[in-house]
Structure formats: C-alpha cells, structure tokens
Amino acid sequence: NIISIFQYFAENKHKQIKSFRFGSIATENSEEVKYTVLWAKLAEPGAELDFQTDTFLFDILILDKPNIKNEYQSTIEILSDTKLIANDFISYINRVNWVTNYSTLMKINLPITMTDYVNMNADKAAGWGFQIKLTVPQGTEYCSIPL
C-alpha cells in the first residue's frame, strides 16, 4: 500500500513527474527512465518491528535530466524544481488519510534531511534525495493473515 501511494502521487498528483520507479537506483544511463522521475527504494534497514508498529525506511530521489545546451542554468532550475516537488511529496505523504482497520494513522517522522545531487549518473541527472521513515500501526499485536 505504501508504494502504491508513492506511485499515485507521482502519476496523478504532480504533473512535472513523468515516471515512478521502485527498487535499486540506476547509476547507468537508462533509456527507459523518463525524467522527471520519482525513485523510491527501501533503505537499510528496510523495516523495524515492535509490538504495535512496523517502521519502514525509504530512500527517495527526485531527479531530472539537464538540457545539454545550457547544462549549468538547466541544473540550477532542476534543483529548484525538484526541491519544490520533494516538498510537495513530503507534504502529501504527511497529509494522506492513512486510516487502517484499527482507525490509527500512519505517521511520517519529521524532520527530513535532504541532499542535493548533480551529475548523478551517465544521464548527468540532478535533483534531491532524502530518507523518510514511516510508522505503520500493526506490529505483533494483531494477526494480519486472514483466517
């Protein structure tokens, strides 16, 4: 469900985002990546479990490919645009109605530290990356397997 919410944001809530990817972050030039891309993957450690909650840690990248003709100016604009998209993404995740069967809300742990990227891969992609930690009510208190 979490990944589908990320994907929904990328595909329906932000017109600047052209594609969504989940999994390993590509470091090579990839013809199938459509920029601007929102890329998500589980970070290390991916999940923690306690009695009442599961906690998931995600790496998020929002990247665009600069215009080769004016790479410097294009990169500055990309950093500005992708920072705004990152802010929108965090705001959206923080506001989504995360109601579960137990009427408890999933929480995003704030604050979030962001890192800028320039010339990230063979595409010379630029943008922002950050980690988000999401806490989901469940843990070992309930059985999540339908019987």
Side-chain angles (χ1 to χ4, degrees):
N1 287 341
I2 295 170
I3 302 307
S4 65
I5 290 169
F6 292 174
Q7 185 171 6
Y8 181 80
F9 172 84
E11 293 175 353
N12 300 291
K13 291 294 185 182
H14 220 287
K15 292 181 181 183
Q16 284 182 280
I17 299 173
K18 305 293 185 241
S19 64
F20 171 77
R21 309 289 262 182
F22 179 74
S24 296
I25 308 295
T27 55
E28 301 297 320
N29 183 355
S30 175
E31 295 297 322
E32 55 192 61
V33 176
K34 294 179 186 172
Y35 291 97
T36 302
V37 60
L38 189 152
W39 215 306
K41 79 176 198 71
L42 279 171
E44 295 294 329
E48 298 172 353
L49 174 69
D50 69 23
F51 182 66
Q52 293 184 326
T53 62
D54 291 341
T55 301
F56 297 93
L57 186 61
F58 291 94
D59 288 329
I60 306 291
L61 282 173
I62 300 172
L63 301 171
D64 202 353
K65 187 176 178 178
N67 181 335
I68 301 299
K69 293 180 183 176
N70 193 352
E71 191 174 324
Y72 177 76
Q73 184 65 32
S74 179
T75 299
I76 291 171
E77 289 175 17
I78 287 169
L79 288 173
S80 175
D81 290 348
T82 54
K83 174 70 168 61
L84 294 173
I85 295 169
N87 289 352
D88 291 347
F89 176 77
I90 293 165
S91 177
Y92 178 77
I93 298 303
N94 199 34
R95 287 189 332 252
V96 168
N97 187 10
W98 300 96
V99 178
T100 67
N101 293 337
Y102 310 109
S103 299
T104 313
L105 299 178
M106 183 158 85
K107 294 184 267 184
I108 185 170
N109 296 26
L110 299 172
I112 293 172
T113 302
M114 300 177 71
T115 304
D116 62 310
Y117 291 95
V118 175
N119 294 327
M120 182 162 179
N121 53 19
D123 288 338
K124 295 190 174 184
W128 289 88
F130 51 94
Q131 286 190 332
I132 58 172
K133 190 180 223 182
L134 298 174
T135 303
V136 182
Q138 185 170 321
T140 59
E141 185 175 8
Y142 307 104
C143 178
S144 59
I145 301 169
L147 299 174

